[in-house]
Amino acid sequence: MIPEPTAAAASRSSQLNKPCQDEADASGAVNHSEEDSGNENRRKSARRRKRTHKSSENVMHKRAKASCSHARTARGSTEKQEQVEAVTLFEVITMGRSAMQAVIDDWIEAYMTDRDSSLLDLITFFIQCSGCKGVVTAEMCHSQEDSDVMSKMVEELDDDAGLQYKKFLAFPWILTVTWPIDADSVDYPLVQSGPYGRWFHSEFCDFVSVLVSQCQHSIIFDSYLMNSLISLLTELSNSYVRAFRHTFTLAAVKLLSALVSVALSLSVGIENSQKLLKVQKTKSMRQKSTQQLEKIQKKIKELQEKWTEVENMMDVIFKGVFLKRYRDVLPEIRSACMEELGLWMKLYSCAFLNDSYLKYIGWMMHDKIPDVRLKCMLGLQGLYGDPVLLPKLDLFTSRFKERLISMTLDKDNEVAVQTMKLLLIISKTSDDLLTPDDYRQLLQFVYSSQRPLACSAGELLYSRLLNAAAPESVTQAGMNEEEVNKQQKFSQLKALLQFYQESELHKHVVYLVDSLWDCAGALLKDWPTLTSALLQDSSADTQSFAQVEHEILVEILVASVRQASEGPVLAGRSGGKKVISIKEKKAQTDDSLKLTEHLLTVLPNLLSKFSGSSDIVASLLRIPQYFQPEAENTQAVSSLLAEMGTVLDFHSHHAVLEAAARTFLSLCGEETCWSSTAQAVRDTLVQSWVDQLKNLLEDSLKGDSLSADEEKMREILSMLKKLRAFHNCHDLSQWGLFDLLSPLLSMESGQGEAEVLLEVLQCLSFSLLWSLSTSGETLTSRDKAVAQRLRLRLFCERSHHCLFHSDPGVKHQAFLGVCDVLTAHSYQLQVWDPSSFGPLLYTPSPKLQRALLTFVCAHVFVDSDCDSQSRASESSQEDKLEDLHKRRNLLAAFCKMIVHRVLEMSMVAEVFMYYTKCDSVERSESHVKVCRAQGLKRTHYWS
């Protein structure tokens, strides 16, 4: 700690004992280093230890018998010495708020006894908090206006000595801080990474607040402590050394915040005293006490003088620190200034909430550092959230509204989210600040890829459009409460559908539901209301929904079911919670049970009503995939399965068949209570389709030609589509589809032949893939393994011929089918258990390998310019992207065969020939696959 100067010690000679006086007289301007002062900045273990004082330290302490303000051990004394426990102000930061209050109280007592020495302790504390490792020297200053003293206030470097100096006035002290030149490059406590830096920041700010709080009724108004402290903070906040500038600026703005609390307390005291004075004046002459009136008036005068003094202190700090540092080059300083400014405006609006101070927030909203902009948004949220303060914000709003709206597009996600929350607060507190065009722009953020921003926009949408009262015609119709509530929800659904239609983003229903889930969950999880809206009679209800609205409403129903069952996990949307709590998991399970119990009974009616619309049916058929498997309602499940069978007999649309196949896969799972019932219905459906297909082929397939009229061809194609869709999800090997469909690969070209051939190729590839994946269970003898290899050879040979088909779809499917089957066969050979029967080795012929390579070169590595000229000039960007996607799939399938060593490694050379010619997309794909192939080849060689 900084020792007592001679002048100060001489003035207290009558108060100190002889040993203390001898020490004080012997001490002049004494140097003080960090090691001697107990700077525990980087040694956490030493922070909490307690030690006795050395004779050169100014410290706070507790004595059993308080006879003087400092504990020193008298040298050479033969009397029994008392052991004292002492702690420095810097050490108290580590002890928590309760210990901080106790030590500060002791410091106040010591200050009242010896304010010079105690003030030096406080000055040293702030210098230690800045991480200074240098030396502090103190000397007395008798006049604050001395020109010689002011000329000594310097901050300079001594390159020869490798030191830098800072001399400044903290009246009555002239302090000189000396530290190494390279000290500024070392991390100081406020910017240290990890928990320690955050903890120190919090404790340091608490210390300043507790210090002012404990002093507000006593020494804060002695015209000595605050003058010296403000002078210290102002001087060092203006230093070019980052550690000093940051630490003392933070201390200064926190000191101003603490003074704001003192000013508020004084204002309340003045107001209460004035009320009491008014009551006294209204009393009668007999009850009125002149002495009491004078006492109250004197108290009011004292409070007003203190209030004026605090106001002056705040003004000095604001002008001396804030105005110089709010645009500091260090972003942490700018951020601290903006954070505290927002607090001052909210707590002490009568002084700070005006355009003279608001302009600083408006200017710093354009700061290049996200954290500074974030602090501006958080500060404005507190201001706009108080309706009383809104009239004072009119000019600021009119000037900076465009900037606020544009900040929803901020590159920092947290800034954008907090800006949207601010605009939500503005929309709730004032109806006319945001125009319809502003709302139209802001509400589109419900489709944002960032979930927090989308949820904030969803809350704005809900409060603006959906959270509206029921129409007057509804409330006046004499309905009961349940009917009124139902009509209100219908009105909300109408508003939601209108917004979705106007947004013209008809493929983003799941994102809209996810954005509204947190704020409008009660509406979206009200499945009885959603289903009743779909089942109501449109001719009997004035609030009925149109056909287009039915389609959107079904999509909303499916999205809400998915959200309740799986949670907010969507492709392309980030920022959500990755791990849900036990409470949320339980709520999710309860919602799944509720939707399962309700929709099991209602879904058959919905399928029956909308059976004529393939789009609606396809959406409704996805709902059972999210049912809770523990639910038991066999009768309802049987009704649902029967209705699904009826729908499948009527529809052959791709989306309907795919949804039905996946739903049956979910219902047939072994963990469900109705698996046996669902499997029986599925087997019955597949058997009926196989029988119908056999009958149709017996009549139409003659030799190598398929001769059938248009109606029969449509029926054949319908049966093939259904079998293909179900074979993709279910193992249909027991029906022998490969033997039934393989003759169709050799039929001659004819009417509708391309579509049939495309479905047949997919069915046969699925059949072989299922056979390969179940080889460990089905291949119980060598004969079965040989039969499997024969089917594999037959499929590859027939697909080889299809590679030269005139229809592009057939060629692509033949290529992909061969690649998938050969890759799966190679994988099964690698994982095959030698102790049991497994698939036999099949190597594609060189002719087939060359045909596959030729196909890739002809259909993947094509010149984009020539390819675009060959297509129609009006082809859209979506068509080009779809074509690129297909080419990438073809290339990936071919490269996977090289990776799994199905094809010869020499084929890589052919791919590299086109490597530099193709665009970056194909180049990246081929590069990844070929590098993996080279790695496998190298591993195989060395093994």
Side-chain angles (χ1 to χ4, degrees):
M1 303 296 293
I2 301 178
E4 305 169 6
T6 305
S11 67
R12 299 191 303 275
S13 60
S14 61
Q15 302 177 10
L16 300 177
N17 54 23
K18 185 64 169 58
C20 294
Q21 184 176 356
D22 292 342
E23 289 184 47
D25 293 339
S27 63
V30 183
N31 292 339
H32 168 71
S33 65
E34 180 191 24
E35 288 76 8
D36 294 331
S37 64
N39 183 358
E40 268 63 50
N41 216 13
R42 304 182 185 279
R43 301 188 302 275
K44 186 174 181 181
S45 61
R47 292 195 198 101
R48 301 183 183 275
R49 66 184 177 87
K50 298 181 179 179
R51 63 173 187 266
T52 57
H53 282 295
K54 297 182 179 179
S55 59
S56 62
E57 289 183 334
N58 281 325
V59 292
M60 300 302 302
H61 66 279
K62 295 180 180 179
R63 290 181 61 98
K65 297 179 180 180
S67 61
C68 65
S69 62
H70 294 279
R72 294 185 177 89
T73 305
R75 298 189 182 99
S77 175
T78 58
E79 298 179 357
K80 184 178 180 181
Q81 301 297 322
E82 296 179 346
Q83 295 294 329
V84 295
E85 293 183 349
V87 63
T88 65
L89 291 177
F90 185 77
E91 290 171 336
V92 78
I93 288 187
T94 67
M95 298 181 179
R97 193 178 183 91
S98 58
M100 192 182 297
Q101 292 175 346
V103 175
I104 289 178
D105 288 340
D106 293 340
W107 180 86
I108 295 174
E109 293 178 6
Y111 178 87
M112 292 179 178
T113 305
D114 185 3
R115 67 181 188 179
D116 290 339
S117 179
S118 300
L119 181 59
L120 285 175
D121 287 343
L122 186 61
I123 292 173
T124 303
F125 161 77
F126 283 108
I127 293 176
Q128 287 177 323
C129 288
S130 65
C132 179
K133 295 182 179 180
V135 177
V136 181
T137 305
E139 57 183 291
M140 287 295 297
C141 174
H142 298 283
S143 175
Q144 195 171 3
E145 305 297 332
D146 189 352
S147 59
D148 294 336
V149 171
M150 300 307 296
S151 64
K152 296 179 181 179
M153 303 298 104
V154 295
E155 184 168 3
E156 58 185 13
L157 301 176
D158 186 351
D159 295 330
D160 297 334
L163 299 174
Q164 47 189 339
Y165 302 89
K166 172 68 176 179
K167 180 177 286 189
F168 58 95
L169 175 66
F171 191 81
W173 306 103
I174 298 176
L175 299 179
T176 303
V177 184
T178 308
W179 67 98
I181 291 179
D182 59 349
D184 194 35
S185 62
V186 181
D187 285 346
Y188 49 96
L190 283 179
V191 297
Q192 286 187 8
S193 59
Y196 174 74
R198 295 189 296 271
W199 165 83
F200 184 87
H201 184 281
S202 175
E203 295 296 322
F204 179 71
C205 296
D206 287 345
F207 180 88
V208 178
S209 301
V210 173
L211 176 64
V212 176
S213 176
Q214 300 294 92
C215 298
Q216 63 177 322
H217 301 296
S218 55
I219 61 177
I220 194 176
F221 301 106
D222 65 352
S223 300
Y224 181 79
L225 171 65
M226 294 305 296
N227 289 348
S228 301
L229 185 57
I230 292 174
S231 176
L232 169 73
L233 300 181
T234 303
E235 285 292 334
L236 286 182
S237 66
N238 199 32
S239 173
Y240 69 87
V241 180
R242 184 182 65 169
F244 284 157
R245 198 169 68 252
H246 186 189
T247 304
F248 285 86
T249 300
L250 178 62
V253 295
K254 286 296 180 181
L255 178 62
L256 201 158
S257 298
L259 291 175
V260 165
S261 300
V262 176
L264 288 173
S265 178
L266 292 173
S267 299
V268 173
I270 293 172
E271 184 179 356
N272 293 336
S273 299
Q274 289 175 345
K275 290 180 180 179
L276 184 60
L277 179 64
K278 185 177 181 181
V279 171
Q280 287 291 335
K281 289 183 177 180
T282 56
K283 290 182 179 180
S284 62
M285 294 299 296
R286 180 179 299 179
Q287 295 176 337
K288 186 181 299 183
S289 172
T290 305
Q291 184 178 2
Q292 187 71 17
L293 284 174
E294 292 177 353
K295 184 178 180 180
I296 295 175
Q297 290 174 345
K298 181 179 180 180
K299 182 179 180 181
I300 292 175
K301 184 178 180 181
E302 292 177 354
L303 292 176
Q304 288 177 341
E305 290 176 352
K306 290 182 178 180
W307 180 81
T308 303
E309 189 174 350
V310 172
E311 287 273 328
N312 293 333
M313 295 178 191
M314 292 190 296
D315 186 63
V316 171
I317 296 175
F318 186 86
K319 293 179 178 178
V321 179
F322 180 89
L323 289 183
K324 297 178 180 179
R325 300 273 69 84
Y326 82 95
R327 291 186 297 181
D328 194 276
V329 68
L330 194 64
E332 289 86 351
I333 295 179
R334 303 199 302 272
S335 179
C337 290
M338 290 301 105
E339 182 179 9
E340 297 305 313
L341 179 59
L343 184 64
W344 305 336
M345 291 179 177
K346 181 175 175 59
L347 296 180
Y348 204 35
S349 58
C350 60
F352 287 98
L353 188 56
N354 55 63
D355 297 327
S356 299
Y357 295 95
L358 282 169
K359 64 183 180 183
Y360 300 115
I361 289 185
W363 292 343
M364 299 311 289
M365 283 161 51
H366 296 82
D367 196 276
K368 63 181 180 179
I369 301 300
D371 189 62
V372 180
R373 302 194 299 272
L374 179 62
K375 292 300 188 295
C376 294
M377 293 300 102
L378 295 176
L380 290 175
Q381 287 179 14
L383 300 179
Y384 280 98
D386 190 351
V388 180
L389 305 179
L390 286 179
K392 298 182 178 182
L393 296 168
D394 291 340
L395 182 59
F396 176 85
T397 304
S398 62
R399 183 174 179 183
F400 293 102
K401 186 182 76 169
E402 293 184 3
R403 173 58 183 164
L404 288 175
I405 295 176
S406 67
M407 287 181 68
T408 55
L409 296 170
D410 197 283
K411 63 180 181 180
D412 185 81
N413 296 327
E414 186 61 24
V415 175
V417 171
Q418 296 304 326
T419 304
M420 185 63 71
K421 290 182 179 180
L422 171 61
L423 293 171
L424 173 63
I425 294 173
I426 293 175
S427 69
K428 289 181 178 180
T429 54
S430 180
D431 295 332
D432 56 349
L433 289 182
L434 298 176
T435 64
D437 292 336
D438 296 334
Y439 282 112
R440 193 176 300 109
Q441 178 180 348
L442 295 174
L443 294 180
Q444 294 302 315
F445 283 96
V446 294
Y447 302 108
S448 172
S449 60
Q450 294 295 323
R451 191 175 191 275
L453 179 59
C455 290
S456 300
E459 190 174 354
L460 178 62
L461 172 63
Y462 183 72
S463 62
R464 180 68 181 174
L465 298 179
L466 306 182
N467 195 17
E472 294 183 1
S473 60
V474 173
T475 57
Q476 295 176 359
M479 298 181 178
N480 56 36
E481 184 178 354
E482 181 179 356
E483 292 176 342
V484 170
N485 185 36
K486 180 179 178 181
Q487 293 301 325
Q488 285 180 343
K489 291 188 175 181
F490 278 10
S491 300
Q492 291 178 340
L493 290 175
K494 281 278 190 181
L496 179 59
L497 294 175
Q498 182 180 358
F499 166 77
Y500 180 73
Q501 289 176 303
E502 292 176 354
S503 64
E504 298 181 354
L505 294 172
H506 302 290
K507 296 181 181 179
H508 296 76
V509 174
V510 289
Y511 296 97
L512 176 61
V513 171
D514 182 46
S515 302
L516 292 169
W517 192 255
D518 295 338
C519 58
L523 173 64
L524 297 174
K525 289 191 288 187
D526 191 356
W527 294 290
T529 298
L530 292 174
T531 53
S532 63
L534 291 169
L535 291 173
Q536 67 176 346
D537 188 2
S538 59
S539 60
D541 198 333
T542 57
Q543 279 196 322
S544 60
F545 297 87
Q547 179 66 22
V548 177
E549 293 176 327
H550 280 152
E551 295 180 3
I552 304 173
L553 198 56
V554 168
E555 290 293 330
I556 293 176
L557 173 63
V558 176
S560 66
V561 169
R562 188 214 66 82
Q563 188 90 1
S565 178
E566 296 182 350
V569 181
L570 292 174
R573 174 164 283 185
S574 59
K577 295 177 63 176
K578 296 182 179 180
V579 180
I580 62 175
S581 62
I582 298 177
K583 183 178 179 181
E584 292 172 335
K585 184 65 176 177
K586 185 179 182 301
Q588 183 176 321
T589 303
D590 294 341
D591 291 339
S592 298
L593 285 173
K594 291 178 182 179
L595 70 89
T596 302
E597 292 173 358
H598 175 73
L599 292 175
L600 261 178
T601 58
V602 176
L603 191 56
N605 298 331
L606 292 174
L607 289 173
S608 177
K609 178 178 180 179
F610 298 104
S611 59
S613 174
S614 58
D615 294 333
I616 295 179
V617 168
S619 299
L620 292 174
L621 285 176
R622 298 193 340 248
I623 292 179
Q625 300 174 23
Y626 308 106
F627 283 171
Q628 195 71 12
E630 291 82 6
E632 296 184 4
N633 193 339
T634 308
Q635 184 177 359
V637 171
S638 300
S639 176
L640 174 61
L641 292 172
E643 191 62 38
M644 289 175 62
T646 303
V647 168
L648 288 175
D649 290 338
F650 183 74
H651 286 280
S652 60
H653 192 270
H654 173 74
V656 174
L657 297 177
E658 182 179 0
R662 294 185 180 274
T663 297
F664 268 103
L665 180 63
S666 177
L667 296 177
C668 294
E670 296 180 356
E671 70 279 2
T672 60
C673 301
W674 49 73
S675 60
S676 57
T677 304
Q679 289 175 7
V681 174
R682 180 202 62 187
D683 294 347
T684 302
L685 287 173
V686 174
Q687 185 63 52
S688 65
W689 296 335
V690 172
D691 293 340
Q692 293 181 49
L693 183 59
K694 285 182 178 178
N695 295 332
L696 291 171
L697 292 179
E698 288 178 358
D699 297 338
S700 304
L701 186 60
K702 297 177 181 179
D704 293 337
S705 62
L706 185 65
S707 58
D709 55 16
E710 184 177 354
E711 184 178 355
K712 281 189 176 182
M713 187 64 70
R714 190 183 305 111
E715 293 180 3
I716 292 174
L717 192 59
S718 176
M719 295 300 109
L720 287 173
K721 288 181 178 179
K722 294 175 183 178
L723 291 173
R724 184 260 307 158
F726 271 70
H727 212 346
N728 187 23
C729 302
H730 305 265
D731 184 8
L732 308 183
S733 302
Q734 58 179 317
W735 283 278
L737 292 180
F738 189 90
D739 296 334
L740 176 63
L741 300 179
S742 57
L744 293 175
L745 289 180
S746 58
M747 65 181 178
E748 298 177 355
S749 301
Q751 183 180 5
E753 175 264 341
E755 295 183 53
V756 172
L757 197 55
L758 184 62
E759 299 294 334
V760 169
L761 284 169
Q762 293 186 63
C763 282
L764 294 180
S765 64
F766 292 152
S767 178
L768 286 174
L769 290 174
W770 278 108
S771 176
L772 291 169
S773 65
T774 58
S775 296
E777 303 171 1
T778 58
L779 297 184
T780 57
S781 63
R782 181 174 176 80
D783 295 338
K784 292 185 178 180
V786 172
Q788 184 191 75
R789 184 170 64 176
L790 290 175
R791 287 195 294 269
L792 181 60
R793 178 184 291 115
L794 177 62
F795 175 76
C796 291
E797 292 176 353
R798 299 288 175 84
S799 298
H800 183 191
H801 295 292
C802 293
L803 290 176
F804 306 99
H805 198 276
S806 58
D807 185 75
V810 174
K811 291 191 291 186
H812 287 190
Q813 183 55 47
F815 177 84
L816 292 174
V818 170
C819 292
D820 292 341
V821 168
L822 291 178
T823 302
H825 176 260
S826 175
Y827 175 76
Q828 290 297 327
L829 289 175
Q830 296 174 16
V831 300
W832 169 56
D833 184 7
S835 62
S836 60
F837 287 98
L840 299 179
L841 176 63
Y842 169 73
T843 303
S845 63
K847 185 182 294 187
L848 177 59
Q849 295 188 36
R850 176 55 60 178
L852 294 174
L853 178 60
T854 303
F855 184 87
V856 169
C857 297
H859 294 83
V860 175
F861 298 110
V862 294
D863 190 354
S864 58
D865 295 334
C866 297
D867 189 55
S868 61
Q869 291 177 3
S870 63
R871 294 192 300 265
S873 58
E874 295 84 3
S875 60
S876 63
Q877 185 68 19
E878 294 182 0
D879 294 336
K880 294 181 180 179
L881 292 175
E882 182 66 23
D883 178 68
L884 178 60
H885 178 67
K886 291 179 180 179
R887 291 160 58 193
R888 293 190 66 184
N889 284 341
L890 296 175
L891 178 60
F894 182 79
C895 291
K896 281 189 288 187
M897 287 195 296
I898 299 177
V899 170
H900 289 275
R901 296 191 291 274
V902 176
L903 303 179
E904 295 294 336
M905 189 60 65
S906 59
M907 298 240 175
V908 178
E910 300 286 345
V911 175
F912 274 124
M913 288 179 57
Y914 297 92
Y915 182 74
T916 57
K917 298 179 182 179
C918 60
D919 57 28
S920 59
V921 180
E922 286 96 356
R923 185 158 57 246
S924 62
E925 183 75 25
S926 59
H927 177 73
V928 172
K929 295 296 189 298
V930 171
C931 287
R932 290 182 59 189
Q934 289 176 332
L936 286 174
K937 180 69 175 179
R938 191 179 300 111
T939 303
H940 178 70
Y941 174 79
W942 286 108
S943 62

